Amino acid sequence: MIRAEMKEWHTLTENMIRLLQIEEEEKRDLVIEQVELSLTKREELQSFIQQPFTEEEIEFGKKLILADQQLNKKLNVYMSAIKKDLSNTQVKKDTMHNYVNPYDKVARDGTYYDTKQ
């Protein structure tokens, strides 16, 4: 018999994997919020998942490990996408600033003075 905490851990992991497949920017905040809640719940469950394990739990644990590895990959991809969007936003912001004020970054220390009159 598999402990309820292990089953719930698996359910939370599978739900997070499904959530991380949502790539719409409008839903990003909601996805992040749900993932954070699920990670918190999983952390609470971890104290209940300790030895001794039955044979059935050991086999189920292997599935949990694979699901957790898959989740980690998805989280890394999702974080990379967020970082890329942030960097693109910064580039757009800098470009817009340069367009509005093109002479802002011009070096002013090389001013030429004509001494002949």
Side-chain angles (χ1 to χ4, degrees):
M1 181 160 166
I2 299 173
R3 292 177 224 178
E5 292 85 9
M6 291 179 84
K7 290 179 182 177
E8 189 174 350
W9 175 287
H10 186 260
T11 303
L12 289 169
T13 303
E14 292 296 321
N15 287 342
M16 283 189 285
I17 290 171
R18 273 193 241 90
L19 274 172
L20 291 171
Q21 292 175 350
I22 299 173
E23 296 180 3
E24 300 165 26
E25 285 189 40
E26 299 83 32
K27 296 181 180 180
R28 184 176 283 166
D29 289 338
L30 180 65
V31 169
I32 291 171
E33 183 180 320
Q34 293 297 318
V35 167
E36 285 178 348
L37 285 172
S38 295
L39 287 172
T40 303
K41 288 179 187 176
R42 276 183 14 147
E43 190 174 324
E44 293 169 2
L45 290 173
Q46 191 164 359
S47 62
F48 295 103
I49 303 173
Q50 295 180 358
Q51 292 184 350
F53 296 116
T54 64
E55 288 296 321
E56 192 177 7
E57 287 177 339
I58 291 172
E59 290 301 314
F60 190 71
K62 291 176 184 177
K63 291 179 185 177
L64 288 179
I65 291 171
L66 291 175
D68 198 50
Q69 289 171 348
Q70 186 181 6
L71 175 64
N72 285 333
K73 288 178 186 176
K74 294 271 187 189
L75 283 170
N76 287 333
V77 168
Y78 206 77
M79 253 179 45
S80 296
I82 291 171
K83 286 179 184 178
K84 182 179 175 186
D85 287 348
L86 286 173
S87 114
N88 287 343
T89 302
Q90 186 62 41
V91 167
K92 287 178 185 177
K93 185 177 172 183
D94 291 344
T95 303
M96 181 57 90
H97 179 72
N98 289 340
Y99 180 75
V100 171
N101 190 359
Y103 300 109
D104 186 39
K105 294 185 180 181
V106 174
R108 303 199 192 282
D109 61 341
T111 306
Y112 173 75
Y113 292 102
D114 187 10
T115 56
K116 296 180 186 179
Q117 295 186 0

